[in-house]
Each structure stands twice: as C-alpha cells, then as structure tokens.
Amino acid sequence: MPKIRTNRGAHKRFRASATGKIKRKRAYHSHILTKKSPKRKRILRSSDVVSSADQKSIRRLLPYM
C-alpha cells in the first residue's frame, strides 16, 4: 500500500495546534487596507481555529498532521 500524499497547498495554509485542532490565517488582510478600520485589521492579524464542519475534509488533505 503506497503512502498517501499530502496536499501541498493545504500544508502551507494550515497548522496543528498543541491540542490537535487545526489553525488557519484569516482572509482579507493582504490588500485594500485603507478602508478597513484598525480594529478590524488587528483582528485579521490573529489566527483562528478551523470550523468543525471543515475539519474532516482538511484532515483528509493532510493525513500526517
């Protein structure tokens, strides 16, 4: 049985936390920042946990996480 290949695009976007949850970066923080409020930009800097509905599909893309 061959090894399962990791999806390289997903590997660059997601990381596992110490407790096993999947962390992700927030979207909309790359450009057109002048119209966004400082509070909104500050929140976008922080990472977030992937929703429970998406966890199964992401774990399938990252079998060795």
Side-chain angles (χ1 to χ4, degrees), residues 6-40:
T6 299
N7 182 294
R8 299 313 288 175
H11 182 74
K12 293 167 191 173
R13 286 170 172 82
F14 301 106
R15 296 279 179 264
S17 69
T19 57
K21 295 175 183 173
I22 301 173
K23 295 194 299 184
R24 65 170 177 86
K25 290 285 221 172
R26 292 178 193 266
Y28 309 113
H29 192 60
S30 58
H31 66 338
I32 313 177
L33 298 172
T34 52
K35 63 175 77 170
K36 294 170 187 157
S37 69
K39 179 181 177 181
R40 185 173 166 194

Side-chain angles (χ1 to χ4, degrees), residues 2-8 60-64:
K3 293 183 193 175
I4 302 168
R5 292 191 74 157
T6 299
N7 182 294
R8 299 313 288 175
R60 194 174 293 136
L61 296 171
L62 303 166
Y64 304 109

